[in-house]
Amino acid sequence: MINVAIVGTGSIAYIHTESLLTFPERCRITALCNTNTSKAEKLKEEFSLDAEIFGDYRQMLASDVKIDTVIICTPPFTHAEIAIAAMDSGRNVLVEKPMATCLEECDEMLEAEKRNGVVLGCVAQNRFKNSIYKLKTLLDSGEVGKPRIAHVNSLWNRGDSYYDLWWRGLWQKEGGGCTLNHAVHHIDMINWIQGGLPERVFSVISNLRHENAQVEDISLSTLKYADGSIAQLTASVVHHGEEQGLVLQCDKAKIAAPWSCYASSYRENGFPLRNTAMEEHINKKYENIPDLKYEGHTGEIDNYLDALEKGTRPLITGVDGRRTIELVTAIYKSGMTEQPVTLPIAKEDDFYTFEGLLAHAPHFHEKTKSLEGFSDNTITVGSSEENK
């Protein structure tokens, strides 16, 4: 039985709790921690948990409560500090996105994992969506050939009041805007599909609609890979309809999530003809890929528990989380300097540290509203299928 503590009991913690309770024979929630303990009490009451309540994670880690794993659901600027303390106390850690605010913090977290012999996992639950998992599986089979152009659309929509929450919209607290905190999922996807980072990035960032936020609400990026392939990435919280998705133009066909397929053959003069026979073949291959047993956060929790139980590595490790932050950092550096950026980003680079990023970060607006919380805590985590 794996004993789990949750630090941070806001909206996303409810999703983690539901996922953990899917596996009562494998894990149990023994502690909840929030600086506002009434929020932890509310979560405990709603799910009838037998868990101790703490207002300080240090007290929780030093207590006699049995804790094997800590799940971190706090604002981004606290992730590294809490994760390192938990790992130094001998606990495994699963940290919500984004892994940290900068590469320096990511490296410190990876060093803590190594010196303590524990397991660090990062949340990127969209890898556990059937549409993304099947797309990756089909691509790896070679049936559609090599991807040449990827269109990555992290298109969300948030009203002005979204940034009224006390930590949102501030570079110092949130670490960034939609690129870090929304597109992080799609950035993990493209890194996973491409098998690594691009070698060159060029980006534009701006704030088009949210006057209570210092941070960007849109970024547009072009990514160039060592093999010559290209990706276009849009990160946004200004798009009506939230039509998130991933489109891969491969040698033999276009494939996409939400699932679609289009294949071409060619006339003598080079103009295209629709290749329905190829489409039928690809569609059949896709349909024959079994569905995942669990999707989303539940799928990732299942995979993470499995790694702890078997002594293996989770699908999404700290190295994966760092890779995502490196691409986010490159996008910010390019957008802030208005210059192309070459990866990897060295430790000597200003943007390697959070202080260096803050020194360059534009304040598109200054924050004038700050709320402790909302009366309505309903959130959506998005999925390709939900946004057809």
Side-chain angles (χ1 to χ4, degrees), residues 113-215:
E113 178 190 32
K114 184 177 180 180
R115 70 172 172 263
N116 292 296
V118 294
V119 177
L120 172 62
C122 298
V123 174
Q125 76 273 6
N126 281 7
R127 286 203 207 178
F128 294 91
K129 295 291 185 183
N130 276 317
S131 59
I132 302 303
Y133 157 74
K134 290 186 176 184
L135 195 78
K136 168 69 170 169
T137 302
L138 180 65
L139 188 66
D140 288 348
S141 75
E143 291 287 345
V144 294
K146 182 178 176 57
R148 301 294 181 176
I149 302 172
H151 297 270
V152 186
N153 293 318
S154 179
L155 309 182
W156 305 75
N157 193 297
R158 296 292 182 267
D160 292 345
S161 61
Y162 176 79
Y163 287 104
D164 292 353
L165 193 64
W166 65 275
W167 57 270
R168 287 186 186 143
L170 297 168
W171 287 104
Q172 181 72 51
K173 303 295 185 186
E174 197 174 10
C178 58
T179 311
L180 179 68
N181 291 293
H182 291 79
V184 62
H185 297 297
H186 291 80
I187 289 171
D188 173 77
M189 282 184 222
I190 194 62
N191 285 343
W192 189 41
I193 284 169
Q194 289 281 5
L197 290 164
E199 63 176 15
R200 197 168 176 83
V201 174
F202 185 79
S203 304
V204 176
I205 65 172
S206 188
N207 184 310
L208 303 178
R209 210 188 69 195
H210 295 88
E211 295 184 359
N212 196 36
Q214 299 172 348
V215 298

Side-chain angles (χ1 to χ4, degrees), residues 12-273:
I12 200 65
Y14 284 72
I15 295 175
H16 279 273
T17 301
E18 290 175 349
S19 297
L20 289 163
L21 293 177
T22 305
F23 309 104
E25 74 289 353
R26 302 168 67 190
C27 64
R28 62 186 175 192
I29 300 170
T30 57
L32 299 172
C33 180
N34 203 90
T35 53
N36 183 344
T37 55
S38 64
K39 290 185 176 181
E41 292 284 1
K42 183 179 178 182
L43 178 62
K44 176 180 177 177
E45 180 180 348
E46 182 159 333
F47 289 96
S48 301
L49 300 174
D50 182 17
E52 293 290 324
I53 301 297
F54 294 90
D56 188 306
Y57 74 87
R58 299 174 192 84
Q59 293 177 357
M60 182 193 76
L61 294 173
S63 73
D64 294 330
V65 176
K66 291 183 178 180
I67 300 171
D68 303 307
T69 295
V70 176
I71 296 180
I72 300 172
C73 299
T74 55
F77 74 99
T78 65
H79 286 184
E81 174 188 317
I82 298 170
I84 292 168
M87 288 187 283
D88 282 344
S89 73
R91 274 72 174 223
N92 303 299
V93 167
L94 179 63
V95 62
E96 254 294 342
K97 60 82 181 172
M99 177 176 171
T101 59
C102 67
L103 289 169
E104 181 182 45
E105 289 179 351
C106 290
D107 286 340
E108 290 171 351
M109 291 165 73
L110 290 171
E111 288 168 7
E113 178 190 32
K114 184 177 180 180
R115 70 172 172 263
N116 292 296
V118 294
V119 177
L120 172 62
C122 298
V123 174
Q125 76 273 6
N126 281 7
R127 286 203 207 178
F128 294 91
K129 295 291 185 183
N130 276 317
S131 59
I132 302 303
Y133 157 74
K134 290 186 176 184
L135 195 78
K136 168 69 170 169
T137 302
L138 180 65
L139 188 66
D140 288 348
S141 75
E143 291 287 345
V144 294
K146 182 178 176 57
R148 301 294 181 176
I149 302 172
H151 297 270
V152 186
N153 293 318
S154 179
L155 309 182
W156 305 75
N157 193 297
R158 296 292 182 267
D160 292 345
S161 61
Y162 176 79
Y163 287 104
D164 292 353
L165 193 64
W166 65 275
W167 57 270
R168 287 186 186 143
L170 297 168
W171 287 104
Q172 181 72 51
K173 303 295 185 186
E174 197 174 10
C178 58
T179 311
L180 179 68
N181 291 293
H182 291 79
V184 62
H185 297 297
H186 291 80
I187 289 171
D188 173 77
M189 282 184 222
I190 194 62
N191 285 343
W192 189 41
I193 284 169
Q194 289 281 5
L197 290 164
E199 63 176 15
R200 197 168 176 83
V201 174
F202 185 79
S203 304
V204 176
I205 65 172
S206 188
N207 184 310
L208 303 178
R209 210 188 69 195
H210 295 88
E211 295 184 359
N212 196 36
Q214 299 172 348
V215 298
E216 89 285 357
D217 61 14
I218 190 160
S219 67
L220 305 173
S221 302
T222 300
L223 320 176
K224 184 177 180 182
Y225 294 84
D227 63 3
S229 61
I230 295 171
Q232 293 178 315
L233 169 66
T234 302
S236 170
V237 287
V238 301
H239 274 67
H240 297 282
E242 298 191 314
E243 295 173 330
Q244 301 149 29
L246 182 62
V247 179
L248 303 177
Q249 297 287 351
C250 303
D251 291 330
K252 299 179 182 179
K254 177 210 82 173
I255 56 174
W259 174 250
S260 67
C261 171
Y262 193 106
S264 301
S265 56
Y266 300 93
R267 303 174 190 270
E268 181 186 5
N269 63 1
F271 281 73
L273 285 170

